[in-house]
Amino acid sequence: MIWVLIAFAALIIVNVPIAFAIGASGLLFFILEPNLPTSLALQRFAEGTQSFPLLAVPFFVLAGNLLNETGITKRLINFANALTGHLVGGLAHISIVLSAMMGGISGSANADAAMQSRILAPQMMGRGYSGGFSTSVIAYSALITATIPPSIGLILYGFVGEVSIGQLFLAGIVPGVLMTIILMVTSTLIAKKRHYTPARVERASFKEVAATFKASFWGLLFPVILIVGIRFGVFTASEAGAFAVVYAFVVGAFIYKELDWKTLNKVLKNTVEDNAIIMLIIACASILGYVITSARLPQEASASLLALTESPLLITAIVLLFLLLAGMFMESTVNTLLLTPIFLPIMTNIGMDPVHFGILMMTIVTMGGMTPPIGVTMYTVCSLSNVPVTDYMKESLPFIGAVVVFIVLLVVFPQISLFLPEQLMR
């Protein structure tokens, strides 16, 4: 097993694409293990994507791309502006509130951050906001999409860990709202200190708020229908993805009337590319996942941690710190697929609810994308906004502190994430 880990680390260091690094290092285990035929690795690769729950991923990716290309984004921006534009540092609040609303549409932190970098970052810097602050707000507000349903990460966690995706969706709602509030408070404190101006001079009238809400109603209704449908058994999480595609098509083509053949072709092209990347990673990760299970790595990791300490709080801190470090070097999808089988048994053994751990895990591994040295979201927002990474790193520290406070609250008060699942699905 040690050679597999060395090979994986070496391939990552020389910038081999992550899917191939995972697949090649997993295949090495079968080559070195005489009792396992190499054909088994190919079988695991083929079987890795043959799962009904995984149907939710391509469906939700297609639905998100459809809604993002049919005018829903600009309508949500107008609604967020009406709600928070009058506050100090109003554009920062618009970014955060927009992420909370977009989380139920895009399901992807990187996609959300990229969109906002193109639209909001120039406006923020044009009003005198520093580049580092602007990109930090956009990057860390995208973290909200890690928990707000339909989070792609939660779907993958539920699939790998055999945890109810419906319960995970419900569990992510309150933490998502709490993170929104904490990030807004952080932005307000910074904006007041630097005298950043609001996005608008006066508070929006009730009539304007109502009008912008009406214009964005069909986008806001999307996650509500998903949650209600799953809760009352109208459809499973996978079937909800299929419904989401039909819903997005109807809204784009017949309600907003911004979905034409050219836009549809672009959406389908982007969806095929996005899903190809995700599914290739999943297929390769299934090889390494089999290796992890065969080598009894979860059991050994659990025994090692228990040998260090029997304190559930200390074990939780060690696991969360490891997830954060892993998130700094690998993309959240990869971490979810590889580390869930290792750490979920450990956390359930010390009494943590698997649904609660899913919210913690997805928040932390997604946060890794906002931090150096290999944060995909960090590089995305900086490159699209033409802001030096050093400026971003310096001004992201208050937001890192805010997220740490959020994680501590989740650990100390697990009912923040478990309240809705316990009330509605148990």
Side-chain angles (χ1 to χ4, degrees), residues 96-116:
I96 295 167
V97 173
L98 180 61
S99 289
M101 293 188 290
M102 287 293 292
I105 296 173
S106 69
S108 167
N110 200 50
D112 182 32
M115 178 273 298
Q116 291 202 32

Side-chain angles (χ1 to χ4, degrees), residues 84 87 93 96-97 179-189:
T84 63
L87 300 174
H93 297 304
I96 295 167
V97 173
M179 190 185 299
T180 301
I181 295 170
I182 290 175
L183 291 176
M184 289 183 71
V185 170
T186 305
S187 296
T188 298
L189 295 175

Side-chain angles (χ1 to χ4, degrees), residues 16 123 281 364 375:
V16 172
Q123 296 183 41
I281 292 174
I364 291 175

Side-chain angles (χ1 to χ4, degrees), residues 208-268:
E208 183 179 353
V209 173
T212 55
F213 172 78
K214 181 180 178 181
S216 58
F217 173 77
W218 294 104
L220 296 171
L221 186 63
F222 173 62
V224 176
I225 293 177
L226 295 182
I227 294 299
V228 173
I230 292 172
R231 162 62 186 88
F232 291 101
V234 179
F235 36 62
T236 65
S238 300
E239 293 165 346
F243 165 81
V245 172
V246 176
Y247 178 89
F249 181 84
V250 171
V251 169
F254 302 108
I255 297 179
Y256 292 151
K257 298 181 180 179
E258 296 189 21
L259 182 63
D260 53 25
W261 285 110
K262 181 179 179 181
T263 304
L264 181 60
N265 182 62
K266 178 183 177 183
V267 165
L268 293 175

Side-chain angles (χ1 to χ4, degrees), residues 201-362:
V201 177
E202 297 180 355
R203 181 192 296 265
S205 64
F206 177 79
K207 183 178 180 180
E208 183 179 353
V209 173
T212 55
F213 172 78
K214 181 180 178 181
S216 58
F217 173 77
W218 294 104
L220 296 171
L221 186 63
F222 173 62
V224 176
I225 293 177
L226 295 182
I227 294 299
V228 173
I230 292 172
R231 162 62 186 88
F232 291 101
V234 179
F235 36 62
T236 65
S238 300
E239 293 165 346
F243 165 81
V245 172
V246 176
Y247 178 89
F249 181 84
V250 171
V251 169
F254 302 108
I255 297 179
Y256 292 151
K257 298 181 180 179
E258 296 189 21
L259 182 63
D260 53 25
W261 285 110
K262 181 179 179 181
T263 304
L264 181 60
N265 182 62
K266 178 183 177 183
V267 165
L268 293 175
K269 180 177 180 292
N270 291 339
T271 300
V272 169
E273 292 175 353
D274 293 343
N275 281 316
I277 295 171
I278 294 172
M279 289 303 167
L280 180 60
I281 292 174
I282 291 173
C284 291
S286 67
I287 301 175
L288 198 53
Y290 181 86
V291 171
I292 290 171
T293 304
S294 298
R296 295 181 56 81
L297 197 56
Q299 293 85 344
E300 291 183 7
S302 180
S304 299
L305 277 178
L306 290 174
L308 288 174
T309 176
E310 293 184 358
S311 168
L313 188 60
L314 189 55
I315 291 175
T316 300
I318 293 171
V319 169
L320 296 184
L321 180 60
F322 186 91
L323 290 174
L324 177 60
L325 293 174
M328 292 179 178
F329 292 92
M330 292 190 296
E331 200 264 338
S332 61
T333 300
V334 178
N335 282 318
T336 304
L337 294 169
L338 297 185
L339 300 181
T340 298
I342 297 174
F343 290 122
L344 180 56
I346 296 174
M347 302 312 293
T348 53
N349 284 340
I350 65 171
M352 181 175 287
D353 189 290
V355 173
H356 178 49
F357 179 63
I359 301 301
L360 283 169
M361 180 174 179
M362 288 317 307

Side-chain angles (χ1 to χ4, degrees), residues 1-16 20-22 24-29 32 288 291-292 297 330:
M1 186 64 191
I2 187 64
W3 290 108
V4 174
L5 297 176
I6 292 173
F8 178 68
L11 291 171
I12 293 295
I13 290 172
V14 298
N15 289 324
V16 172
F20 298 113
I22 295 170
S25 56
L27 182 60
L28 179 63
F29 180 84
L32 297 177
L288 198 53
V291 171
I292 290 171
L297 197 56
M330 292 190 296

